[in-house]
Amino acid sequence: MDERSDVEYASQLGERVAAVRAEVAVAAAHAGRRAEEITLVAVSKLQPASALAAAVQAGVTDLGENYVQEAAEKFAALGWGPAPGRAPVTRHCIGPLQANKVRKALTWFEVVETLDSVALAERMERIAGELGRTVRALLEINISGEPQKSGFFAEEVEGNLARLAKCSSIRIEGLMTIGRFDPNPEAARADFRALRLLRDRLQAVAPPSILLHALSMGMSHDFPVAIEEGATIVRVGTRLFGPRQTP
Ligand SMILES: *Cc1c(COP(=O)(O)O)cnc(C)c1O
């Protein structure tokens, strides 16, 4: 980008961040909630490193990335250091995490939102131990039960809590889901509500080391609905950054 389009991009991004924050506040007020309860994660997958820098300038506090290798390259290009804390934002891994990418993911992300199996948890536990760090995580739930989606099925989480609780280097903070894809934002409301009700049921039985305060749900087209249903984290990409580059 040349200097002029850089400046234009930054001001446009600043306006979009402000517009999304305003919609977050309206949805929170609808639900009798406070806007400060909700973290906006700006999803910068398939956007250039310069877009991440502009997001920081626009006051974004949390970034989400799907592809570990792509994210690591951009973070390094920006001069950001490894996790935890050596970047001006909190970095969330929101894409499916393959076993062979766990070490790199734990090197670069503060939060893994896509903890989707006990096998992955046990691998993360071992590698976090080797790296001498604690990793924040959310349990990804396949709340709609669609076969092509990853995540724990709702009915299998409770039976795995004891094994997850043994992973002392993983700090589980809540649940994450990807709503049913439908251009009509109301279509995902039932999924979002089901995730909150699952969280409420699990909270009653979970070991004390498993925290369940966070609910990550809602994307560009349906985050207001997710907030009405209790989201504490919304993951918004295209509404902020515009169309993504093809990989
Ligand atoms: C890409 C992605 C998002 C952001 O999607 P937009 O529709 O661009 O807001 C949110 N969550 C996950 C898991 C994603 O993969």
Side-chain angles (χ1 to χ4, degrees):
M1 274 189 242
D2 63 38
E3 214 169 286
R4 183 185 152 79
S5 62
D6 241 4
V7 171
E8 276 170 12
Y9 182 86
S11 88
Q12 195 179 54
L13 183 60
E15 282 167 22
R16 286 172 170 177
V17 169
V20 167
R21 286 203 193 285
E23 280 182 48
V24 166
V26 167
H30 256 181
R33 304 180 57 206
R34 295 180 317 121
E36 305 81 70
E37 292 169 26
I38 296 140
T39 300
L40 173 63
V41 174
V43 176
S44 50
K45 63 168 177 254
L46 306 178
Q47 303 288 351
S50 57
L52 282 66
V56 173
Q57 288 305 310
V60 162
T61 59
D62 292 69
L63 286 176
E65 287 276 345
N66 288 59
Y67 310 106
V68 176
Q69 181 60 33
E70 179 205 343
E73 284 169 15
K74 291 191 290 190
F75 298 155
L78 290 163
W80 298 355
R86 271 176 270 159
V89 288
T90 301
R91 293 162 288 186
H92 299 239
C93 175
I94 64 167
L97 186 49
Q98 293 158 2
N100 64 351
K101 297 281 171 55
V102 170
R103 187 174 301 273
K104 190 163 260 182
L106 296 194
T107 302
W108 288 103
F109 290 95
E110 279 77 21
V111 187
V112 172
E113 293 203 14
T114 43
L115 174 45
D116 61 4
S117 70
V118 170
L120 177 60
E122 290 175 345
R123 192 176 182 87
M124 283 170 57
E125 168 71 4
R126 180 168 61 74
I127 294 174
E130 287 170 20
L131 296 172
R133 65 166 296 212
T134 302
V135 60
R136 298 169 55 196
L138 303 179
L139 300 178
E140 182 177 0
I141 310 294
N142 181 356
I143 199 75
S144 58
E146 292 164 276
Q148 75 278 14
K149 276 193 182 162
S150 47
F152 289 94
F153 291 113
E155 58 277 12
E156 67 179 341
V157 187
E158 183 178 341
N160 283 310
L161 288 176
R163 281 174 77 190
L164 292 166
K166 286 206 182 103
C167 298
S168 57
S169 298
I170 305 176
R171 184 184 137 107
I172 295 172
E173 298 183 340
L175 308 180
M176 175 272 203
T177 202
I178 300 174
R180 200 175 299 257
F181 183 76
D182 192 303
N184 175 6
E186 284 298 327
R189 186 182 292 276
D191 291 343
F192 298 151
R193 184 169 301 170
L195 192 73
R196 171 167 47 89
L197 294 173
L198 173 65
R199 188 276 305 274
D200 294 348
R201 285 201 302 281
L202 293 172
Q203 231 162 10
V205 297
S209 65
I210 295 190
L211 310 173
L212 291 167
H213 54 89
L215 286 176
S216 176
M217 53 191 196
M219 315 194 339
S220 285
H221 71 295
D222 57 11
F223 70 86
V225 173
I227 290 170
E228 287 169 10
E229 296 300 332
T232 66
I233 299 173
V234 292
R235 309 178 307 266
V236 179
T238 45
R239 266 296 301 279
L240 297 173
F241 295 109
R244 291 183 268 271
Q245 300 164 337
T246 40

